[in-house]
PDB file of all heavy atoms in Angstrom:
ATOM      1  N   GLU B  64      30.557  90.925  81.758  1.00  0.00           N
ATOM      2  CA  GLU B  64      29.690  89.735  81.948  1.00  0.00           C
ATOM      3  C   GLU B  64      30.508  88.521  81.415  1.00  0.00           C
ATOM      4  O   GLU B  64      30.540  88.310  80.197  1.00  0.00           O
ATOM      5  CB  GLU B  64      28.369  90.041  81.322  1.00  0.00           C
ATOM      6  CG  GLU B  64      27.362  88.902  81.305  1.00  0.00           C
ATOM      7  CD  GLU B  64      27.387  88.337  82.646  1.00  0.00           C
ATOM      8  OE1 GLU B  64      26.993  88.971  83.720  1.00  0.00           O
ATOM      9  OE2 GLU B  64      27.699  87.064  82.801  1.00  0.00           O
ATOM     10  N   PRO B  65      30.911  87.755  82.414  1.00  0.00           N
ATOM     11  CA  PRO B  65      31.730  86.630  82.043  1.00  0.00           C
ATOM     12  C   PRO B  65      30.970  85.504  81.144  1.00  0.00           C
ATOM     13  O   PRO B  65      31.627  84.738  80.356  1.00  0.00           O
ATOM     14  CB  PRO B  65      32.189  86.003  83.315  1.00  0.00           C
ATOM     15  CG  PRO B  65      31.299  86.519  84.346  1.00  0.00           C
ATOM     16  CD  PRO B  65      30.756  87.873  83.797  1.00  0.00           C
ATOM     17  N   THR B  66      29.687  85.439  81.316  1.00  0.00           N
ATOM     18  CA  THR B  66      28.942  84.468  80.579  1.00  0.00           C
ATOM     19  C   THR B  66      28.902  84.735  79.012  1.00  0.00           C
ATOM     20  O   THR B  66      28.376  83.903  78.248  1.00  0.00           O
ATOM     21  CB  THR B  66      27.430  84.294  81.172  1.00  0.00           C
ATOM     22  OG1 THR B  66      26.786  85.379  81.022  1.00  0.00           O
ATOM     23  CG2 THR B  66      27.564  83.712  82.565  1.00  0.00           C
ATOM     24  N   LEU B  67      29.207  85.910  78.671  1.00  0.00           N
ATOM     25  CA  LEU B  67      29.280  86.245  77.245  1.00  0.00           C
ATOM     26  C   LEU B  67      30.569  85.526  76.564  1.00  0.00           C
ATOM     27  O   LEU B  67      30.522  85.412  75.385  1.00  0.00           O
ATOM     28  CB  LEU B  67      29.551  87.804  77.025  1.00  0.00           C
ATOM     29  CG  LEU B  67      28.267  88.669  77.370  1.00  0.00           C
ATOM     30  CD1 LEU B  67      28.523  90.139  77.259  1.00  0.00           C
ATOM     31  CD2 LEU B  67      27.093  88.238  76.639  1.00  0.00           C
ATOM     32  N   ARG B  68      31.379  84.909  77.400  1.00  0.00           N
ATOM     33  CA  ARG B  68      32.532  84.243  76.814  1.00  0.00           C
ATOM     34  C   ARG B  68      31.998  82.792  76.500  1.00  0.00           C
ATOM     35  O   ARG B  68      31.537  82.107  77.489  1.00  0.00           O
ATOM     36  CB  ARG B  68      33.678  84.085  77.789  1.00  0.00           C
ATOM     37  CG  ARG B  68      34.617  85.377  77.976  1.00  0.00           C
ATOM     38  CD  ARG B  68      35.520  85.658  76.872  1.00  0.00           C
ATOM     39  NE  ARG B  68      36.517  84.569  76.788  1.00  0.00           N
ATOM     40  CZ  ARG B  68      37.884  84.749  76.383  1.00  0.00           C
ATOM     41  NH1 ARG B  68      38.304  85.920  76.398  1.00  0.00           N
ATOM     42  NH2 ARG B  68      38.635  83.729  76.278  1.00  0.00           N
ATOM     43  N   GLY B  69      32.012  82.441  75.380  1.00  0.00           N
ATOM     44  CA  GLY B  69      31.483  81.074  74.877  1.00  0.00           C
ATOM     45  C   GLY B  69      32.314  80.002  75.414  1.00  0.00           C
ATOM     46  O   GLY B  69      31.848  78.811  75.461  1.00  0.00           O
ATOM     47  N   ASP B  70      33.623  80.294  75.897  1.00  0.00           N
ATOM     48  CA  ASP B  70      34.548  79.212  76.261  1.00  0.00           C
ATOM     49  C   ASP B  70      34.543  79.138  77.908  1.00  0.00           C
ATOM     50  O   ASP B  70      35.397  78.616  78.450  1.00  0.00           O
ATOM     51  CB  ASP B  70      35.857  79.440  75.703  1.00  0.00           C
ATOM     52  CG  ASP B  70      36.428  80.788  76.128  1.00  0.00           C
ATOM     53  OD1 ASP B  70      35.650  81.658  76.750  1.00  0.00           O
ATOM     54  OD2 ASP B  70      37.668  81.017  75.758  1.00  0.00           O
ATOM     55  N   LEU B  71      33.481  79.753  78.485  1.00  0.00           N
ATOM     56  CA  LEU B  71      33.487  79.908  80.046  1.00  0.00           C
ATOM     57  C   LEU B  71      33.568  78.441  80.643  1.00  0.00           C
ATOM     58  O   LEU B  71      34.263  78.329  81.597  1.00  0.00           O
ATOM     59  CB  LEU B  71      32.252  80.533  80.483  1.00  0.00           C
ATOM     60  CG  LEU B  71      32.190  80.839  81.940  1.00  0.00           C
ATOM     61  CD1 LEU B  71      33.351  81.658  82.501  1.00  0.00           C
ATOM     62  CD2 LEU B  71      30.841  81.514  82.343  1.00  0.00           C
ATOM     63  N   GLU B  72      32.720  77.505  80.083  1.00  0.00           N
ATOM     64  CA  GLU B  72      32.751  76.092  80.591  1.00  0.00           C
ATOM     65  C   GLU B  72      34.295  75.525  80.522  1.00  0.00           C
ATOM     66  O   GLU B  72      34.631  74.883  81.533  1.00  0.00           O
ATOM     67  CB  GLU B  72      31.874  75.191  79.757  1.00  0.00           C
ATOM     68  CG  GLU B  72      30.301  75.549  80.028  1.00  0.00           C
ATOM     69  CD  GLU B  72      29.713  76.722  79.203  1.00  0.00           C
ATOM     70  OE1 GLU B  72      30.573  77.497  78.746  1.00  0.00           O
ATOM     71  OE2 GLU B  72      28.648  76.717  79.109  1.00  0.00           O
ATOM     72  N   ASP B  73      34.916  75.770  79.430  1.00  0.00           N
ATOM     73  CA  ASP B  73      36.326  75.267  79.278  1.00  0.00           C
ATOM     74  C   ASP B  73      37.254  75.839  80.328  1.00  0.00           C
ATOM     75  O   ASP B  73      38.082  75.252  80.938  1.00  0.00           O
ATOM     76  CB  ASP B  73      36.773  75.565  77.842  1.00  0.00           C
ATOM     77  CG  ASP B  73      35.995  74.768  76.790  1.00  0.00           C
ATOM     78  OD1 ASP B  73      35.554  73.627  77.096  1.00  0.00           O
ATOM     79  OD2 ASP B  73      35.883  75.325  75.670  1.00  0.00           O
ATOM     80  N   LEU B  74      37.095  77.151  80.520  1.00  0.00           N
ATOM     81  CA  LEU B  74      37.928  77.958  81.467  1.00  0.00           C
ATOM     82  C   LEU B  74      37.652  77.469  82.823  1.00  0.00           C
ATOM     83  O   LEU B  74      38.560  77.246  83.643  1.00  0.00           O
ATOM     84  CB  LEU B  74      37.573  79.464  81.346  1.00  0.00           C
ATOM     85  CG  LEU B  74      37.931  80.165  80.065  1.00  0.00           C
ATOM     86  CD1 LEU B  74      37.593  81.489  80.103  1.00  0.00           C
ATOM     87  CD2 LEU B  74      39.364  79.919  79.690  1.00  0.00           C
ATOM     88  N   VAL B  75      36.342  77.180  83.134  1.00  0.00           N
ATOM     89  CA  VAL B  75      36.117  76.650  84.505  1.00  0.00           C
ATOM     90  C   VAL B  75      36.624  75.222  84.652  1.00  0.00           C
ATOM     91  O   VAL B  75      37.226  74.885  85.716  1.00  0.00           O
ATOM     92  CB  VAL B  75      34.562  76.482  84.705  1.00  0.00           C
ATOM     93  CG1 VAL B  75      34.149  75.738  85.875  1.00  0.00           C
ATOM     94  CG2 VAL B  75      33.973  78.009  84.769  1.00  0.00           C
ATOM     95  N   ARG B  76      36.529  74.413  83.724  1.00  0.00           N
ATOM     96  CA  ARG B  76      37.121  73.020  83.774  1.00  0.00           C
ATOM     97  C   ARG B  76      38.596  73.014  83.944  1.00  0.00           C
ATOM     98  O   ARG B  76      39.088  72.369  84.871  1.00  0.00           O
ATOM     99  CB  ARG B  76      36.698  72.311  82.462  1.00  0.00           C
ATOM    100  CG  ARG B  76      37.065  70.730  82.654  1.00  0.00           C
ATOM    101  CD  ARG B  76      36.503  70.105  81.321  1.00  0.00           C
ATOM    102  NE  ARG B  76      35.111  70.234  81.057  1.00  0.00           N
ATOM    103  CZ  ARG B  76      34.681  70.945  80.070  1.00  0.00           C
ATOM    104  NH1 ARG B  76      35.334  71.553  79.206  1.00  0.00           N
ATOM    105  NH2 ARG B  76      33.264  71.026  79.927  1.00  0.00           N
ATOM    106  N   GLU B  77      39.300  73.902  83.289  1.00  0.00           N
ATOM    107  CA  GLU B  77      40.792  73.942  83.376  1.00  0.00           C
ATOM    108  C   GLU B  77      40.977  74.426  84.849  1.00  0.00           C
ATOM    109  O   GLU B  77      41.905  73.838  85.537  1.00  0.00           O
ATOM    110  CB  GLU B  77      41.353  74.873  82.345  1.00  0.00           C
ATOM    111  CG  GLU B  77      42.798  75.163  82.454  1.00  0.00           C
ATOM    112  CD  GLU B  77      43.652  73.926  81.981  1.00  0.00           C
ATOM    113  OE1 GLU B  77      43.054  73.125  81.281  1.00  0.00           O
ATOM    114  OE2 GLU B  77      44.725  73.943  82.279  1.00  0.00           O
ATOM    115  N   ALA B  78      40.374  75.428  85.333  1.00  0.00           N
ATOM    116  CA  ALA B  78      40.680  75.984  86.647  1.00  0.00           C
ATOM    117  C   ALA B  78      40.364  75.012  87.749  1.00  0.00           C
ATOM    118  O   ALA B  78      41.111  74.748  88.704  1.00  0.00           O
ATOM    119  CB  ALA B  78      39.821  77.237  86.850  1.00  0.00           C
ATOM    120  N   HIS B  79      39.238  74.131  87.461  1.00  0.00           N
ATOM    121  CA  HIS B  79      38.862  73.218  88.571  1.00  0.00           C
ATOM    122  C   HIS B  79      39.935  72.044  88.583  1.00  0.00           C
ATOM    123  O   HIS B  79      40.267  71.675  89.614  1.00  0.00           O
ATOM    124  CB  HIS B  79      37.412  72.727  88.156  1.00  0.00           C
ATOM    125  CG  HIS B  79      37.067  71.616  88.998  1.00  0.00           C
ATOM    126  ND1 HIS B  79      36.580  71.812  90.394  1.00  0.00           N
ATOM    127  CD2 HIS B  79      36.929  70.235  88.891  1.00  0.00           C
ATOM    128  CE1 HIS B  79      36.264  70.647  90.945  1.00  0.00           C
ATOM    129  NE2 HIS B  79      36.450  69.721  90.165  1.00  0.00           N
ATOM    130  N   GLU B  80      40.364  71.730  87.396  1.00  0.00           N
ATOM    131  CA  GLU B  80      41.317  70.581  87.416  1.00  0.00           C
ATOM    132  C   GLU B  80      42.627  71.036  88.047  1.00  0.00           C
ATOM    133  O   GLU B  80      43.452  70.134  88.555  1.00  0.00           O
ATOM    134  CB  GLU B  80      41.605  70.052  85.901  1.00  0.00           C
ATOM    135  CG  GLU B  80      40.454  69.233  85.480  1.00  0.00           C
ATOM    136  CD  GLU B  80      40.405  68.930  83.924  1.00  0.00           C
ATOM    137  OE1 GLU B  80      41.422  69.244  83.268  1.00  0.00           O
ATOM    138  OE2 GLU B  80      39.425  68.345  83.474  1.00  0.00           O
ATOM    139  N   LEU B  81      42.984  72.323  87.943  1.00  0.00           N
ATOM    140  CA  LEU B  81      44.056  72.809  88.631  1.00  0.00           C
ATOM    141  C   LEU B  81      43.945  72.900  90.138  1.00  0.00           C
ATOM    142  O   LEU B  81      44.894  73.092  90.857  1.00  0.00           O
ATOM    143  CB  LEU B  81      44.438  74.200  88.168  1.00  0.00           C
ATOM    144  CG  LEU B  81      44.983  74.272  86.720  1.00  0.00           C
ATOM    145  CD1 LEU B  81      44.985  75.773  86.212  1.00  0.00           C
ATOM    146  CD2 LEU B  81      46.366  73.861  86.745  1.00  0.00           C
ATOM    147  N   GLY B  82      42.782  72.739  90.674  1.00  0.00           N
ATOM    148  CA  GLY B  82      42.566  72.933  92.045  1.00  0.00           C
ATOM    149  C   GLY B  82      42.058  74.176  92.578  1.00  0.00           C
ATOM    150  O   GLY B  82      42.072  74.456  93.756  1.00  0.00           O
ATOM    151  N   LEU B  83      41.728  75.180  91.658  1.00  0.00           N
ATOM    152  CA  LEU B  83      41.373  76.457  92.115  1.00  0.00           C
ATOM    153  C   LEU B  83      39.894  76.376  92.512  1.00  0.00           C
ATOM    154  O   LEU B  83      39.095  75.608  91.935  1.00  0.00           O
ATOM    155  CB  LEU B  83      41.551  77.428  90.911  1.00  0.00           C
ATOM    156  CG  LEU B  83      42.823  77.603  90.393  1.00  0.00           C
ATOM    157  CD1 LEU B  83      42.870  78.469  89.050  1.00  0.00           C
ATOM    158  CD2 LEU B  83      43.666  78.380  91.483  1.00  0.00           C
ATOM    159  N   TYR B  84      39.565  77.212  93.491  1.00  0.00           N
ATOM    160  CA  TYR B  84      38.156  77.361  93.896  1.00  0.00           C
ATOM    161  C   TYR B  84      37.507  78.391  93.070  1.00  0.00           C
ATOM    162  O   TYR B  84      37.963  79.531  93.027  1.00  0.00           O
ATOM    163  CB  TYR B  84      38.042  77.687  95.374  1.00  0.00           C
ATOM    164  CG  TYR B  84      36.577  77.554  95.894  1.00  0.00           C
ATOM    165  CD1 TYR B  84      36.287  76.513  96.671  1.00  0.00           C
ATOM    166  CD2 TYR B  84      35.686  78.639  95.859  1.00  0.00           C
ATOM    167  CE1 TYR B  84      34.944  76.409  97.177  1.00  0.00           C
ATOM    168  CE2 TYR B  84      34.438  78.636  96.346  1.00  0.00           C
ATOM    169  CZ  TYR B  84      34.039  77.396  97.104  1.00  0.00           C
ATOM    170  OH  TYR B  84      32.743  77.377  97.613  1.00  0.00           O
TER     171      TYR B  84
END
Side-chain angles (χ1 to χ4, degrees):
Chain B
E64 175 47 58
T66 60
L67 293 178
R68 288 278 303 216
D70 58 356
L71 184 60
E72 289 83 340
D73 297 326
L74 298 177
V75 166
R76 190 173 303 108
E77 179 74 14
H79 178 72
E80 281 168 11
L81 287 165
L83 298 170
Y84 192 96

